[in-house]
Amino acid sequence: MTVETKMNVTLIGMPAAGKSVIGVLLAKRIGFELIDTDLVIQKQEKRLLKEIIAQEGLDGFLAIENSVNASIEAERSVIAPGGSVIYGRDAMEHLRQISTIVYLRISCEELKKRLGDLKDRGVALREGMTLEDLYEERIPLYESWADVTVEEEGKTPGMIVEEICARCLGPDSVRVS
Protein backbone atom coordinates (compact mmCIF):
# COMPACT_ATOMS: atom_id res chain seq x y z
CA MET A 1 0.00 0.00 0.00
CA THR A 2 1.49 3.32 -1.03
CA VAL A 3 0.60 6.91 -0.33
CA GLU A 4 -0.30 7.37 -4.00
CA THR A 5 -3.33 5.10 -3.50
CA LYS A 6 -4.54 6.95 -0.40
CA MET A 7 -2.92 10.39 -0.88
CA ASN A 8 -2.30 10.99 2.84
CA VAL A 9 0.06 9.74 5.52
CA THR A 10 -1.03 9.52 9.18
CA LEU A 11 1.65 9.29 11.86
CA ILE A 12 0.69 7.49 15.07
CA GLY A 13 2.68 6.81 18.21
CA MET A 14 3.22 7.72 21.84
CA PRO A 15 3.36 11.35 22.98
CA ALA A 16 6.89 12.65 22.28
CA ALA A 17 7.49 9.99 19.61
CA GLY A 18 8.03 12.87 17.19
CA LYS A 19 4.79 12.86 15.21
CA SER A 20 4.70 16.65 14.89
CA VAL A 21 8.43 17.07 14.15
CA ILE A 22 8.55 14.16 11.69
CA GLY A 23 5.26 15.39 10.24
CA VAL A 24 6.69 18.82 9.43
CA LEU A 25 9.83 17.36 7.87
CA LEU A 26 7.90 14.75 5.87
CA ALA A 27 5.33 17.30 4.63
CA LYS A 28 8.11 19.62 3.45
CA ARG A 29 9.97 16.75 1.82
CA ILE A 30 7.02 15.44 -0.22
CA GLY A 31 5.14 18.72 -0.71
CA PHE A 32 2.13 17.79 1.42
CA GLU A 33 0.15 19.90 3.88
CA LEU A 34 0.55 19.13 7.61
CA ILE A 35 -2.52 18.65 9.81
CA ASP A 36 -1.74 18.51 13.54
CA THR A 37 -5.06 17.30 14.90
CA ASP A 38 -4.29 18.39 18.48
CA LEU A 39 -4.20 21.95 17.14
CA VAL A 40 -7.43 21.35 15.21
CA ILE A 41 -9.08 20.15 18.44
CA GLN A 42 -7.81 23.19 20.39
CA LYS A 43 -9.04 25.57 17.69
CA GLN A 44 -12.45 23.92 17.47
CA GLU A 45 -12.88 23.74 21.26
CA LYS A 46 -11.21 27.11 21.96
CA ARG A 47 -9.35 25.41 24.85
CA LEU A 48 -5.99 23.77 25.43
CA LEU A 49 -5.95 19.96 25.52
CA LYS A 50 -5.19 19.96 29.25
CA GLU A 51 -8.19 22.27 29.82
CA ILE A 52 -10.48 19.97 27.85
CA ILE A 53 -9.31 16.99 29.91
CA ALA A 54 -9.71 18.93 33.18
CA GLN A 55 -13.21 20.16 32.28
CA GLU A 56 -14.64 17.20 30.34
CA GLY A 57 -12.75 14.35 31.95
CA LEU A 58 -10.69 11.83 30.04
CA ASP A 59 -13.69 10.12 28.44
CA GLY A 60 -15.10 13.47 27.32
CA PHE A 61 -11.77 14.43 25.78
CA LEU A 62 -11.47 11.07 24.00
CA ALA A 63 -14.98 11.51 22.55
CA ILE A 64 -14.04 14.96 21.21
CA GLU A 65 -10.75 13.63 19.83
CA ASN A 66 -12.52 10.70 18.14
CA SER A 67 -15.10 13.00 16.56
CA VAL A 68 -12.56 15.52 15.26
CA ASN A 69 -10.24 12.86 13.83
CA ALA A 70 -13.16 10.96 12.24
CA SER A 71 -14.14 14.13 10.37
CA ILE A 72 -10.71 15.10 8.97
CA GLU A 73 -10.95 15.81 5.28
CA ALA A 74 -7.57 15.82 3.64
CA GLU A 75 -5.78 15.25 0.38
CA ARG A 76 -2.01 15.21 -0.06
CA SER A 77 -1.55 15.72 3.70
CA VAL A 78 0.56 14.40 6.53
CA ILE A 79 -1.81 13.94 9.48
CA ALA A 80 -0.30 14.04 12.98
CA PRO A 81 -2.95 13.10 15.56
CA GLY A 82 -2.47 12.90 19.31
CA GLY A 83 -1.14 9.68 20.80
CA SER A 84 -4.56 8.70 22.15
CA VAL A 85 -6.24 8.70 18.71
CA ILE A 86 -5.96 4.89 18.72
CA TYR A 87 -8.72 4.66 21.35
CA GLY A 88 -11.24 6.06 18.85
CA ARG A 89 -12.50 3.37 16.50
CA ASP A 90 -14.39 5.85 14.28
CA ALA A 91 -11.30 8.02 13.95
CA MET A 92 -8.95 5.14 13.19
CA GLU A 93 -11.28 3.54 10.65
CA HIS A 94 -11.60 6.91 8.90
CA LEU A 95 -7.84 7.54 8.97
CA ARG A 96 -7.23 4.02 7.62
CA GLN A 97 -9.58 4.77 4.70
CA ILE A 98 -7.94 8.06 3.74
CA SER A 99 -4.27 7.42 4.56
CA THR A 100 -1.35 5.12 4.98
CA ILE A 101 -0.86 4.78 8.76
CA VAL A 102 2.76 4.91 9.95
CA TYR A 103 3.53 3.92 13.53
CA LEU A 104 6.57 5.71 14.96
CA ARG A 105 7.81 3.18 17.52
CA ILE A 106 9.89 4.46 20.42
CA SER A 107 11.17 2.61 23.48
CA CYS A 108 9.71 3.37 26.90
CA GLU A 109 13.19 4.39 28.08
CA GLU A 110 13.56 6.97 25.30
CA LEU A 111 10.03 8.16 25.95
CA LYS A 112 10.86 8.89 29.60
CA LYS A 113 13.85 11.00 28.47
CA ARG A 114 11.73 13.07 26.07
CA LEU A 115 8.58 13.62 28.12
CA GLY A 116 8.14 16.35 30.66
CA ASP A 117 4.98 16.89 32.67
CA LEU A 118 2.38 14.51 31.22
CA LYS A 119 -0.62 16.50 32.43
CA ASP A 120 0.80 19.78 31.10
CA ARG A 121 1.25 18.14 27.69
CA GLY A 122 -2.40 17.08 27.70
CA VAL A 123 -1.57 13.36 27.71
CA ALA A 124 -4.68 11.19 28.10
CA LEU A 125 -3.70 9.29 31.25
CA ARG A 126 -6.20 7.58 33.55
CA GLU A 127 -5.95 8.20 37.29
CA GLY A 128 -3.30 5.98 38.92
CA MET A 129 -1.76 4.98 35.60
CA THR A 130 2.01 5.23 35.14
CA LEU A 131 3.78 6.04 31.88
CA GLU A 132 4.83 2.38 31.71
CA ASP A 133 1.17 1.28 32.08
CA LEU A 134 0.14 3.66 29.31
CA TYR A 135 2.96 2.40 27.08
CA GLU A 136 2.01 -1.24 27.58
CA GLU A 137 -1.67 -0.50 26.96
CA ARG A 138 -1.12 1.44 23.75
CA ILE A 139 1.58 -0.56 21.95
CA PRO A 140 -0.77 -3.36 20.76
CA LEU A 141 -3.24 -0.74 19.54
CA TYR A 142 -0.61 1.16 17.53
CA GLU A 143 0.63 -2.11 16.06
CA SER A 144 -2.88 -3.24 15.11
CA TRP A 145 -3.69 -0.04 13.19
CA ALA A 146 -0.31 0.48 11.49
CA ASP A 147 0.27 -0.16 7.80
CA VAL A 148 3.97 0.56 8.33
CA THR A 149 6.06 0.56 11.52
CA VAL A 150 9.23 2.67 11.74
CA GLU A 151 11.63 1.98 14.60
CA GLU A 152 13.05 5.29 15.84
CA GLU A 153 15.88 3.97 18.04
CA GLY A 154 19.25 5.36 16.95
CA LYS A 155 17.83 7.33 14.02
CA THR A 156 17.78 11.05 13.35
CA PRO A 157 14.53 12.71 12.24
CA GLY A 158 15.98 12.91 8.73
CA MET A 159 16.66 9.18 8.67
CA ILE A 160 13.11 8.48 9.85
CA VAL A 161 11.68 10.66 7.06
CA GLU A 162 13.87 8.85 4.50
CA GLU A 163 12.57 5.49 5.74
CA ILE A 164 8.95 6.63 5.57
CA CYS A 165 9.48 7.90 2.03
CA ALA A 166 11.19 4.67 0.95
CA ARG A 167 8.55 2.41 2.51
CA CYS A 168 5.42 4.43 1.68
CA LEU A 169 6.31 6.26 -1.52
CA GLY A 170 8.79 3.87 -3.11
CA PRO A 171 12.52 4.08 -3.86
CA ASP A 172 12.18 6.91 -6.39
CA SER A 173 11.09 9.29 -3.61
CA VAL A 174 14.30 8.88 -1.62
CA ARG A 175 16.84 11.62 -2.23
CA VAL A 176 20.26 11.60 -0.66
CA SER A 177 21.03 15.14 0.44
Side-chain angles (χ1 to χ4, degrees), residues 7-131:
M7 292 313 300
N8 297 298
V9 175
T10 296
L11 303 175
I12 62 171
M14 290 294 289
K19 297 177 297 292
S20 296
V21 170
I22 299 300
V24 167
L25 296 174
L26 180 61
K28 284 182 179 181
R29 166 70 189 276
I30 62 177
F32 279 21
E33 183 179 338
L34 174 68
I35 301 171
D36 184 320
T37 67
D38 282 349
L39 297 178
V40 174
I41 292 167
Q42 288 184 161
K43 182 177 181 180
Q44 178 181 301
E45 293 294 310
K46 296 176 178 56
R47 300 179 278 175
L48 298 175
L49 298 180
K50 64 183 178 181
E51 293 171 338
I52 299 168
I53 293 170
Q55 295 165 7
E56 307 294 331
L58 183 56
D59 291 334
F61 168 76
L62 292 174
I64 291 167
E65 180 182 47
N66 185 46
S67 174
V68 169
N69 281 288
S71 67
I72 295 288
E73 292 194 23
E75 189 174 302
R76 296 182 50 80
S77 296
V78 175
I79 304 165
S84 54
V85 68
I86 41 91
Y87 295 125
R89 177 165 285 287
D90 295 340
M92 290 307 300
E93 287 176 354
H94 174 68
L95 292 170
R96 179 175 268 166
Q97 287 178 348
I98 67 167
S99 65
T100 300
I101 299 177
V102 178
Y103 167 35
L104 299 177
R105 185 176 12 211
I106 183 173
S107 70
C108 195
E109 294 73 32
E110 181 62 25
L111 195 58
K112 287 179 195 174
K113 291 180 199 172
R114 292 184 188 186
L115 277 171
D117 182 339
L118 296 180
K119 293 211 186 303
D120 192 53
R121 279 185 70 109
V123 174
L125 191 65
R126 295 202 184 279
E127 197 63 39
M129 217 179 197
T130 66
L131 179 59

